[in-house]
Amino acid sequence: MWPCCGRRQRRVGGFAVVAVVLWVLVRRFNWSELVPLRLWGRTLGLQTEHSQFLLEGMPFRIFGGSMHYFRVPREYWEDRMLKMKACGLNTLTTYVPWNLHERDRGKFDFSRNLDLRAFLSLAAKNGLWVILRPGPYICSEWDLGGLPSWLLQDPEMQLRTTYKGFTEAVDAYFDHLMPIVVPLQYKKGGPIIAVQVENEYGSYAKDPNYMAYVKMALLNRGIVEMLMTSDNKNGLSYGLVEGALATVNFQKLEPGLLKHLDSLQRDQPKMVMEYWTGWFDNWGGPHYVFDADEMVNTVASILKLGASINLYMFHGGTNFGFMNGALEADEYKSDVTSYDYDAVLTEAGDYTSKFFKLRQLFSVIIGQPLPLPPVIESKASYGAILLHQYISLWDVIPSLLQPIKSEFPINMENLHLNDSSGQSYGYVLYETVIFGGGHLHSRNHVRDRAQVFVNTMYVGELDYNTVELSLPEGQGFRQLRLLVENRGRVNYGLALNEQRKGLIGDVFLNNVPLRNFKIYSLEMKPAFMKSLQRVAGWSAVPDYFVGPAFFRGRLWIEHQPQDTFLKLQGWEKGVVFVNGQNLGRYWKIGPQETLYLPGPWLWKGSNEIVIFEERTAGRIIQSVDIPYLGRTQYVD
């Protein structure tokens, strides 16, 4: 993904373009035999012949859709795949997030919701081919574009280049990833028909040797299927690499765009790797919506021109936990928790009008009956949930956390934690002792937002826009505390190397740099959240309380749990955990007002809800059966 250049008012289109394309496409695409479990003795794979794809020597058109296994509960993978088939799609595309599979350097995780082998095998079982987009960089509105934050421990790091420190890390990662991927390629009996070389490098293009390096890193580890690149219009000519088919990303089909792609690689099939079905949201902005008729008309126009297509997103899902990315153009903007994206399926996997309009289009082109759409599971409204106990962060710290002592502030990534991999996400508390008050200045060294306290008294906030505060005078020595939140690393653009979080330099009081810190890591991993249960000092919630604090309550479910949405009206800003699962961030500035809570993460009986609230807490939260993602603005 890449930042949208403009927004336009809603246009109500019809099916005029659709009618034309159905008249033009007299040839039917009957792919009933071209499914993973029916092809044996494979030798040819996906190939190009002039302006068309061939699969095992037969003409083939890619009707793809993006769904990311790491944004969807594992229990729902198959449901979403069946909905892809029912819409008329034959191919699934997915990114692979390095920063989840290797959270700590040298420790790899491909289990549970990160079981890539199971995900790809399930796609094959359900008759879907796969285009794999393994990165190492994926963008995707995901923290640091999928790159692990421990790479930034190196002060000289040059991400997405042939800098030795980066390529050595990529090589070690690919050494673990590719043994999972290689056996699942088409020629080895698996569903993978193509593999993408990196992602949108043309918009970065800092190293002319980098794409060739990534290509050889794939080939040398056994990738034998077709290679592809993926770029927007402006990056197309800079992201090419010999031996890989170039594909293009866009939402609006500008005149001559596909001809421009043709001019860069003549006599090759045209492929839209990302046709943006909607758009993502930032905190403080609107909820973007893309008109369904306009979207379907553009899809029809793309098909009329003979191109293959991949819908980004078919199903967006959720940026659970602290994994959302951010933009940094004129200013820093972090992405919301929901990745609903106004996609073909909603965040919770429900159908939209886009689904049925696309199904109508694809069914006529394919010329054969499509599977019936699976039944939608009902959502639950469990009502009001009382948060009956709380404990202040200041009471938690001495019980659970050991400080790192340092004369100077240390950024999050360079804290000596997690087997020297640093801290990746969440919050960091910096404490030091001051005498008196005065003028506090961050010199823009806060990443991304700091609440400032003198002892436990809230003074104000420091962020990108506010870089100075007045501290009240007082007698004797006092504690100055800066609770710094990493709101999400930028995932797109040229600022990737500058995404260190916490305090990235000195903070000054009356022009004197602060020294001698106690630094507490608040990454809020599952072990930490579990340990909260045993901490003494939980009290009944008063009528009015100002955080930062943890609040807890219970949701009792009598019957089989169902999906629901948590509405936090009256709460200001924080994070919600249910049965230890981090649902993500909420913030009263919106647009998002509900958090998606998947049914598989709930239990019959008692369910523990813990909220970390930074400032003003409510007393209850609401479990509702309808999401509210905020005030709507149509994508221009």
Side-chain angles (χ1 to χ4, degrees), residues 388-404:
H388 60 283
Q389 289 186 312
Y390 85 100
I391 185 168
S392 168
L393 175 64
W394 316 127
D395 294 329
V396 167
I397 288 170
S399 300
L400 294 183
L401 300 174
Q402 291 294 322
I404 295 170

Side-chain angles (χ1 to χ4, degrees), residues 1-7 137 139-145 200 279-283 285 288 323-336 339 341 447-448 464 487-496 499 501:
M1 285 301 308
W2 65 293
C4 190
C5 298
R7 312 290 177 194
Y137 164 85
C139 186
S140 190
E141 291 71 64
W142 195 250
D143 187 271
L144 201 59
E200 292 182 317
W279 202 246
F280 59 92
D281 300 338
N282 305 119
W283 288 115
Y288 291 115
M323 299 311 299
N324 63 275
L327 292 177
E328 189 168 11
D330 297 332
E331 60 179 319
Y332 171 89
K333 295 180 180 179
S334 57
D335 299 334
V336 302
Y339 201 60
Y341 202 83
R447 297 289 186 275
D448 298 297
Y464 293 96
R487 287 174 49 200
R489 296 180 182 84
V490 168
N491 57 267
Y492 178 89
L494 300 178
L496 294 182
Q499 294 308 303
K501 298 297 185 179

Side-chain angles (χ1 to χ4, degrees), residues 182-200:
V182 165
L184 294 170
Q185 295 179 101
Y186 175 90
K187 294 185 181 71
K188 297 181 180 293
I192 300 173
I193 57 173
V195 176
Q196 186 173 294
V197 182
E198 233 263 357
N199 188 60
E200 292 182 317

Side-chain angles (χ1 to χ4, degrees), residues 12 24 32 129 142 283 299 318 342 384 395 409 461 467 489 493 508 561:
V12 180
V24 171
S32 59
W129 299 110
W142 195 250
W283 288 115
V299 171
T318 310
D342 191 41
D395 294 329
E461 296 176 1
V467 296
R489 296 180 182 84
F508 293 78

Side-chain angles (χ1 to χ4, degrees), residues 100-109 150 418-419 421:
L100 289 187
H101 289 298
E102 193 182 1
R103 286 181 180 269
D104 299 336
R105 187 189 288 267
K107 294 184 177 180
F108 298 91
D109 184 4
W150 45 258
N418 299 318
D419 293 328
S421 292

